[in-house]
Amino acid sequence: MTPPVPVITVENLSKSYPMGFWRKRVPVLSGLSFTVLPNEIVGFLGPNGAGKTTTIKILNHLAFPDSGRVTLFGEEAGKSPNLRRRIGFMPEQPYFYEYLTGREFLALCGRLCGMERDAIVARSREMFDRIGLAGAEDKAIRKYSKGMMQRLGLAQALLHDPELVILDEPMSGLDPMGRMEIRNVIRDLRAAGKTVFFSSHIVSDVEALCDRVIMILKGEKVAEDTVGELMGCEILYVEIVLSPSPPPAVLFGCGIPPEAVSVQGSAVVLRAPDVDEANRWVDLSRAAGARVCSLTPAKRHLEDVYVARVEAGRRDGNR
Amino acid sequence: MLTGMLSVAANTFRETIRNKILYAILAFALFVIGMTTFLANLSFGDLARVVVDLGLASIHLFGVVMAVFIGITLVSQEIDRKTVYIILSKPVPRWEFVLGKALGLCATLGLITFFMAVVLYLVHAGYRYGQTTEPGIFVAAAGIYMELVLLTCLASFFSTFTTPVLSAIFTLSMFLIGHITRELLFFGGKSGSPAAAWLGKAIYYLLPNLEIFNFKNVAVYGLARSASLLLLPLAYMLSYCAAVLLLACVIFSRKDFK
Ligand SMILES: Nc1ncnc2c1ncn2[C@@H]1O[C@H](COP(=O)(O)OP(=O)(O)OP(=O)(O)O)[C@@H](O)[C@H]1O
Ligand SMILES: [Mg+2]
């Protein structure tokens, strides 16, 4: 079986912006490469100013790279406008024609995508319900709140039922309900066989949603992997709760290091550095008369991995 | 075919028609046209002619104000507010966007110029107690409209690469110079210096000759009775606009949105 044609391939993308008085070109992206496969949900992480929006603009042919290549569905990006019919895009902090109502705006988007009038009406109604904007259809966009704009941004990206959806910070500015709704929309897209590529600062959303994560720092990729792989099977520590337990001094006596022991109410909590150590300590403490009440391996959150990578990257950068 | 351009044009038409500034200018223009009957009574000569003269002058002036000050914001505002990202991420080629924006404003200006011309026609006819009417008003207004279309294209062209303020300055300069190109050619030739003559010629052929659209005096003397007068200016306007818009499309297609 031939491998599927990637939906997005980015090869060696570089881009610089002229900055300061001398218009010196400062690199924003340097040699960025990654791929997104069909029906994947890929999260795009990076601190402020890492180059996420720049990359996404290049994917949408709004900005042009200094060098490197972008293909979408195996075709050179920007070659044919028809390619864009297969893509839905929501820009960062979207802003729309404020003199239109939500319904008029979606109608305009539908016409620009070459949709039929009936399809536009039906799809708009569906989108308003799906995206949590029902009731605001005939309100002027001028009167929309930030979160409503964000939702409308998603609605226009999905209106023409694109195969690839690119979202720049879809969750920013949303209340918890809104975030949940958007997470559900993204999950539905996966179920419908679509591909989603989105940037976000909300790492827990990325962790919950994405098949794979691409992390960039100062325009360079620092990680590209599945969420599971990134978070690792690696266990940070194992927490053992003993209750009832002999006094800590007895445990110290059996060879459990004092810094790993803490007393919480009537229970004693041990923090073992790894699984083997945890097993040994369980034996020791049970021999000392303790009852093991729970044993929890603490895994990393994507957030920890992200922070660690960003800090490591910053240290490398400063060296 | 061209659905992108037509949708953008329709949307721009809607945008400009919902623009409150437009109505402020229009209200003022209508007020001035109404006032011409009053002013005419204060002046000498054929009073009805004064109505036509002043009326057409105000249509011209206010039309230019609308064309320039809305024209310069057409593209730049979309870039500033980033609405352009949404439109261009749809299957719309960039040149269709530029043409659609200009077309939409031209439609609005057409409607408004026609409306002002009708008002002037009625005011003039009313001044004459309906005994005579002056259809030349429509010929002259059509000339004015062609000039407005040309200025709109210039304003859109400038706004694809400079700030609104600079676009306004450039377009207004083009407007002012455009009405004296013939004089520049004449004085350039007179000066005796080959450089000045060459410069005069260059300006004459490069910058728009807006006097070609001026049928105001012809209309005032009741001589603008045939629409065939407009054919040559129309051909000139279309070719000039085509060239300017072509440049605008080329520049806009290469634009890197930051
Ligand atoms: N128009 C511009 N001119 C000059 N520099 C720019 C321009 N746009 C972006 N940059 C620079 O490019 C870098 C990357 O910006 P980008 O907007 O892609 O970051 P980001 O990852 O999207 O950040 P955020 O999380 O804050 O949205 C930043 O250092 C920024 O200063
Ligand atoms: Mg960004």
Side-chain angles (χ1 to χ4, degrees), chain A residues 61-62 64, chain B residues 88 92-98 252-253 255 257:
Chain A
H61 211 60
L62 293 168
F64 308 129
Chain B
L88 295 183
V92 181
R94 289 193 182 186
W95 60 268
E96 283 195 31
F97 175 79
V98 174
F252 194 71
S253 297
K255 201 170 178 77
F257 295 102

Side-chain angles (χ1 to χ4, degrees), chain B residues 54-74:
Chain B
L54 290 177
L56 286 174
S58 24
I59 294 177
H60 187 201
L61 178 71
F62 292 110
V64 168
V65 170
M66 289 185 221
V68 174
F69 288 96
I70 300 177
I72 53 164
T73 62
L74 278 184

